[in-house]
Amino acid sequence: MKIIIPFLATIFCAALSLAQEESASPAESTAPATEEKASATVEETPAAKPMESTAPAMTAEKKAEPAKAASPAAATKKEATANAAKPAPAAAKMTKNMNPRDAENAWEAAVGKHDYATVEGFLAADFIGVSSKNKFVGRSDVLSEFKGDKDTYKTSKNEKLNVKMYGTNVAVVTGRAREIGTGKDGKAFDRTFLYTDTWMLRGGKWQCIGSQVSKIKG
């Protein structure tokens, strides 16, 4: 019996020692796994490089965007420059705030320049008058005669003007105009006219509604 007890104690100690070794072996086996995981984490770090490489591309795209946004403004500026280079229509010269005195001077200046659009803008649709050839004329008659004028003018201007207002929308202008130049036949001329024009303010613009012209010289 004394022999059996020490023997069992020896076996128990050996089993306990074996159990401790087995329980320690999993802990040792897990250590490499932790190291492998750590090494895997270190290997995954370079994966961020592609993001860094794309940063310059994104920056370049952002820098390119202002250039695209500026292109419409450049196109608008180019278009505005092209439009500014185009001559304005002659009819645009007739501003709404031009008074009868200024209109008379512009009309006589238009005679020397053969500026048809200016005279057309001054004549009312219901215009009626008497020409320097002692004929009754309407708007179309005056414009037709003006368009057929082939004379070359050295000067064409008003020498005297008198403006009398009747209320706020009617004005009567009496004046003297002188025209110097060369006719289509090559002969020089020096003409002087006396006229009476009646103007009416319509829609913010002065229009000639009646006229009588007399040639006193030339």
Side-chain angles (χ1 to χ4, degrees), residues 93-104 106 122 204-206:
K93 298 177 183 178
M94 302 300 97
T95 56
K96 289 185 176 182
N97 60 348
M98 184 175 286
N99 58 53
R101 181 181 294 276
D102 292 339
E104 288 286 3
F122 284 137
K205 179 180 178 181
W206 286 96

Side-chain angles (χ1 to χ4, degrees), residues 122-191:
F122 284 137
L123 288 169
D126 55 351
F127 170 87
I128 189 170
V130 177
S131 72
S132 61
K133 298 178 181 178
N134 301 318
K135 293 182 179 180
F136 293 110
V137 292
R139 183 175 189 272
S140 59
D141 300 316
V142 175
L143 292 176
S144 179
E145 182 178 350
F146 185 88
K147 198 170 185 179
D149 183 13
K150 304 300 180 182
D151 294 340
T152 301
Y153 294 85
K154 182 179 180 181
T155 181
S156 177
K157 63 181 181 179
N158 289 311
E159 294 183 331
K160 187 176 182 181
L161 281 177
N162 295 302
V163 180
K164 186 171 179 62
M165 298 295 300
Y166 293 88
T168 58
N169 66 333
V170 176
V172 175
V173 181
T174 56
R176 181 175 67 233
R178 187 177 181 184
E179 300 170 359
I180 302 173
T182 305
K184 60 182 180 180
D185 56 1
K187 295 181 180 181
F189 62 79
D190 186 349
R191 308 166 183 157

Side-chain angles (χ1 to χ4, degrees), residues 2-211:
K2 292 180 179 180
I3 295 173
I4 294 173
I5 291 172
F7 178 75
L8 292 175
T10 302
I11 294 173
F12 178 77
C13 291
L16 180 62
S17 176
L18 180 61
Q20 289 178 352
E21 289 178 359
E22 288 178 357
S23 62
S25 61
E28 292 176 359
S29 62
T30 56
T34 303
E35 292 178 358
E36 289 178 359
K37 186 175 182 180
S39 63
T41 303
V42 173
E43 291 177 359
E44 290 176 359
T45 302
K49 291 183 179 180
M51 293 180 65
E52 295 177 358
S53 63
T54 57
M58 292 174 65
T59 304
E61 290 179 0
K62 290 182 178 180
K63 289 182 178 180
E65 288 178 2
K68 293 180 180 179
S71 58
T76 303
K77 184 177 180 181
K78 184 177 180 181
E79 183 178 355
T81 304
N83 291 334
K86 296 179 181 179
K93 298 177 183 178
M94 302 300 97
T95 56
K96 289 185 176 182
N97 60 348
M98 184 175 286
N99 58 53
R101 181 181 294 276
D102 292 339
E104 288 286 3
N105 288 327
W107 188 336
E108 189 58 37
V111 172
K113 298 175 183 178
H114 298 280
D115 187 352
Y116 179 89
T118 295
V119 176
E120 182 183 32
F122 284 137
L123 288 169
D126 55 351
F127 170 87
I128 189 170
V130 177
S131 72
S132 61
K133 298 178 181 178
N134 301 318
K135 293 182 179 180
F136 293 110
V137 292
R139 183 175 189 272
S140 59
D141 300 316
V142 175
L143 292 176
S144 179
E145 182 178 350
F146 185 88
K147 198 170 185 179
D149 183 13
K150 304 300 180 182
D151 294 340
T152 301
Y153 294 85
K154 182 179 180 181
T155 181
S156 177
K157 63 181 181 179
N158 289 311
E159 294 183 331
K160 187 176 182 181
L161 281 177
N162 295 302
V163 180
K164 186 171 179 62
M165 298 295 300
Y166 293 88
T168 58
N169 66 333
V170 176
V172 175
V173 181
T174 56
R176 181 175 67 233
R178 187 177 181 184
E179 300 170 359
I180 302 173
T182 305
K184 60 182 180 180
D185 56 1
K187 295 181 180 181
F189 62 79
D190 186 349
R191 308 166 183 157
T192 302
F193 301 89
L194 294 180
Y195 60 86
T196 300
D197 291 343
T198 302
W199 294 78
M200 180 174 285
L201 184 63
R202 292 173 169 175
K205 179 180 178 181
W206 286 96
Q207 290 187 315
C208 185
I209 61 174
S211 178

